[in-house]
Amino acid sequence: MDRIRFSFSCSGKLKYISHLDMMRLFVRALRRTGLPVAYSQGYNPHPRFNLALPLPTGAAAEEDYGEVYFDGIVKPQQFIDYLKHQLPNDIKIKSAFSVDPVSPALPAEVSGAVYKALLLTGGDEYIETKIMQTALDMLMAKEEILVDYTGKKKKATKRDIRSYIYEAEIHDGEKNLLELILVLQAGSEGGVSPVQFLELIRKELDTGWTANFRWELTRKRIIFKN
């Protein structure tokens, strides 16, 4: 059995599809390649395919990862050559490599992710860097950040996400837009959504936020445990 991991980028209209639809897109593309994709056992066999981390709906990705198991020998370059012709133009396969079939599953090796959020404004409206920095400093200075959370049995509760926020920095980005770089914990040991964090920033700005402002979110890379 072969197991191949690959990196890819996602942009354009495909950044608006759900994680489940992204999984389906890749599975259908893999089937069209004719490669010997391995299937799970049991009453409902499905292709042994994983994506490292769900991509927030509306976010682009510069370097995300997936993996697939094969019932036979498949070389990384062969995998790239076959798959790239079955995918939409907004998804680009960047690299592929073989991994040990018995090593931990790809999602279990994720520990965090790096995001870039550009603040898009409308008309003559803008938010000064120092105002955004003040809002960010106020948020990061908190010892705990409580957010709504739906736990087991759909019980509504609160959880503290402060420890999941590793870094948050503001820069002057492209076209003089404010750029926020986030390093957030993610994966099986818990984490925080960048969308959730950006909403917390908006709340800190209070009346400084208008309906014309929105974030353009990109996941730059995934952080792995090893």
Side-chain angles (χ1 to χ4, degrees):
M1 175 179 288
D2 270 3
R3 179 183 179 189
I4 288 180
R5 285 185 182 170
F6 62 97
S7 66
F8 66 96
S9 63
C10 175
S11 60
K13 294 181 179 179
L14 284 182
K15 68 183 184 179
Y16 296 107
I17 69 173
S18 68
H19 175 66
L20 182 58
D21 285 336
M22 183 69 75
M23 292 282 290
R24 289 169 176 161
L25 184 154
F26 271 107
V27 167
R28 290 168 180 168
L30 284 166
R31 286 172 176 163
R32 291 195 296 270
T33 65
L35 295 172
V37 177
Y39 278 73
S40 63
Q41 303 297 314
Y43 293 105
N44 185 28
H46 58 273
R48 295 188 63 185
F49 170 79
N50 286 315
L51 291 176
L53 186 66
L55 187 65
T57 303
E62 291 184 359
E63 190 173 38
D64 265 23
Y65 283 84
E67 70 176 2
V68 58
Y69 294 77
F70 295 99
D71 281 331
I73 298 174
V74 176
K75 300 298 184 182
Q77 190 57 51
Q78 178 189 15
F79 170 82
I80 293 174
D81 293 340
Y82 277 60
L83 185 59
K84 68 181 181 181
H85 296 298
Q86 304 299 333
L87 292 169
N89 291 333
D90 288 340
I91 292 182
K92 306 292 186 184
I93 303 297
K94 303 181 70 175
S95 66
F97 53 94
S98 297
V99 294
D100 188 342
V102 299
S103 62
L106 179 60
E109 297 189 6
V110 174
S111 65
V114 180
Y115 296 89
K116 177 182 73 175
L118 283 177
L119 180 60
L120 305 183
T121 61
D124 296 327
E125 294 179 311
Y126 68 97
I127 294 179
E128 294 182 3
T129 302
K130 63 180 181 181
I131 294 177
M132 181 66 76
Q133 185 67 61
T134 299
L136 179 60
D137 290 344
M138 291 175 62
L139 182 62
M140 296 297 288
K142 296 180 179 181
E143 293 186 0
E144 65 176 11
I145 301 175
L146 298 178
V147 298
D148 294 329
Y149 175 71
T150 303
K152 295 181 178 179
K153 299 182 180 180
K154 298 184 178 180
K155 182 180 179 180
T157 184
K158 297 280 187 180
R159 69 168 178 166
D160 181 12
I161 63 169
R162 181 61 186 88
S163 63
Y164 300 150
I165 305 168
Y166 296 154
E167 297 178 23
E169 297 180 350
I170 291 175
H171 305 278
D172 291 325
E174 56 190 71
K175 298 180 181 179
N176 295 319
L177 297 175
L178 284 180
E179 178 182 280
L180 186 61
I181 300 297
L182 305 174
V183 183
L184 306 175
Q185 181 173 316
S188 59
E189 297 179 6
V192 58
S193 162
V195 176
Q196 191 173 42
F197 184 85
L198 294 175
E199 177 62 16
L200 292 171
I201 288 287
R202 186 194 67 77
K203 290 179 179 179
E204 288 293 337
L205 288 167
D206 194 21
T207 57
W209 190 271
T210 78
N212 291 324
F213 297 162
R214 65 181 180 87
W215 295 103
E216 183 179 81
L217 185 62
T218 301
R219 183 153 69 204
K220 297 184 67 65
R221 63 184 179 91
I222 292 174
I223 303 169
F224 294 100
K225 295 176 182 178
N226 298 317

